[in-house]
Amino acid sequence: MPAAPRSTPASASASACAALRAALLDAPPVTVNSVPDLGRAVFVGSGDSLASGLIATEFGHRALSAGDVTWSQTLPAACDTLVGISHSGTSGATVRALRMARDAGLKTVAITSQASSPLADTADEVRLVPTLRVEEEVPCAGHVMLAQGVAAVCGVDTTPFNQALAQSLDGVRATVDAHVRDLPGSAPAAVSVLSLPELCSGADFWVLKLIEACGLAVRTVPLEESGHVDYFIGPQAHLTLQLMGPHGRSRFDRLAEALRTTGQTVCQVDTRHLTDPSAPDAAVLRDLATAVAGTWFAHGAALRWGRPPFRGGAVNMDARHIKLDS
């Protein structure tokens, strides 16, 4: 029997694009109600869920790692409502953080896809998001729905988002494929992801997916902080990914020029037209599309560099170490 054809970055992104589009168009929209009297809210989660929570910073709230609350045994100062985010509703640190808040008399909210879960059982109010039925080698579907749930809790009408995001995916894929083709042929020693706060959720998600897919050390850096220190990185190969939104283009360009003079590879990803900039709540949609782009870029980079996602099965994926124990 002939061997199955080897997946290429372009074929992988085409397959992922078709699957995600079908899932988005088939799924019910996220119709979560906003939370009355949310007050000064802190959104907590871990991993992909924390990236989803960062959407709330666009609306004046805060987002923290659930572990920072749980393992320090300290609730955030000046917090009226603690919002826990977990697709499964079983992330141990997030459930424990919500229990701490409940016991302290704070208002608690759960954003999850599982109505019968420890997280939902702990919360005063539960906001359920649908599950996207899609097979993914490097996952982003859970984040796409949870981030919509976060936006909805903050007052955004997310009803049209599935349709709008589905319509944008061909353009997202074209952008990703072009940048993957321009990558060096071998993996760098490490990767930096730069952004301004308007893309903090999407940038954080790029970091997570690059780590999962490529097994590399990856960090997220505020644009100006990179300008102060990153030109000292070397002499090992380093890749800097600049995620650019509507603001700061001249600063991104000046920094890219400086970093290239030190031998670094700089990839500028313009996210401004990944989605329709005139759509309602265009900034949230752009952040979601940026996250999807990061997932496909990470998978494409892994294929280009010969680094199978999740270290080719070397990583135990049962995740028991982060789940709520008995």
Side-chain angles (χ1 to χ4, degrees), residues 98 102 105-110 119-127:
L98 221 62
R102 177 196 61 190
L106 297 182
K107 186 172 188 172
T108 55
V109 178
L119 189 71
D121 290 344
T122 302
D124 298 322
E125 299 192 34
V126 179
R127 298 294 186 266

Side-chain angles (χ1 to χ4, degrees), residues 153-265:
V153 164
C154 294
V156 173
D157 177 11
T158 55
T159 305
F161 275 26
N162 283 358
Q163 182 80 28
L165 192 57
Q167 292 174 348
S168 75
L169 292 183
D170 281 334
V172 172
R173 180 168 65 89
T175 297
V176 167
D177 288 351
H179 285 301
V180 170
R181 283 195 300 269
D182 288 341
L183 286 174
S186 56
V191 183
S192 295
V193 179
L194 278 56
S195 73
L196 288 170
E198 61 198 1
L199 288 173
C200 65
S201 174
D204 195 63
F205 205 69
W206 275 64
V207 169
L208 295 169
K209 299 302 116 172
L210 283 161
I211 293 171
E212 292 173 359
C214 301
L216 295 172
V218 188
R219 62 173 188 153
T220 182
V221 193
L223 172 64
E224 193 60 22
E225 303 321 303
S226 172
H228 278 263
V229 301
D230 277 11
Y231 51 85
F232 296 113
I233 292 176
Q236 71 278 7
H238 190 83
L239 173 63
T240 296
L241 300 169
Q242 295 186 335
L243 304 186
M244 302 183 301
H247 303 104
R249 179 60 188 257
S250 62
R251 184 65 182 118
F252 278 109
D253 288 343
R254 289 172 57 210
L255 179 56
E257 181 181 359
L259 295 179
R260 287 178 179 128
T261 66
T262 71
Q264 296 187 40
T265 298

Side-chain angles (χ1 to χ4, degrees), residues 37-160:
D37 303 320
L38 193 59
R40 297 168 296 181
V42 177
F43 290 68
V44 297
S46 301
D48 290 7
S49 298
L50 176 56
S52 302
L54 288 168
I55 290 285
T57 63
E58 288 291 306
F59 302 93
H61 303 295
R62 286 178 286 163
L64 296 174
S65 167
D68 286 352
V69 176
T70 297
W71 308 124
S72 68
Q73 298 185 350
T74 304
L75 289 167
C79 172
D80 302 313
T81 306
L82 198 74
V83 183
I85 310 161
S86 170
H87 199 272
S88 67
T90 60
S91 295
T94 307
V95 175
R96 290 186 176 94
L98 221 62
R99 288 175 177 172
M100 283 177 58
R102 177 196 61 190
D103 293 346
L106 297 182
K107 186 172 188 172
T108 55
V109 178
I111 302 175
T112 181
S113 65
Q114 300 298 324
S116 299
S117 66
L119 189 71
D121 290 344
T122 302
D124 298 322
E125 299 192 34
V126 179
R127 298 294 186 266
L128 294 175
V129 300
T131 297
L132 284 182
R133 305 297 179 184
V134 58
E135 292 187 9
E136 303 173 293
E137 188 154 359
V138 182
C140 68
H143 169 71
V144 165
M145 303 310 274
L146 287 174
Q148 290 189 58
V150 170
V153 164
C154 294
V156 173
D157 177 11
T158 55
T159 305

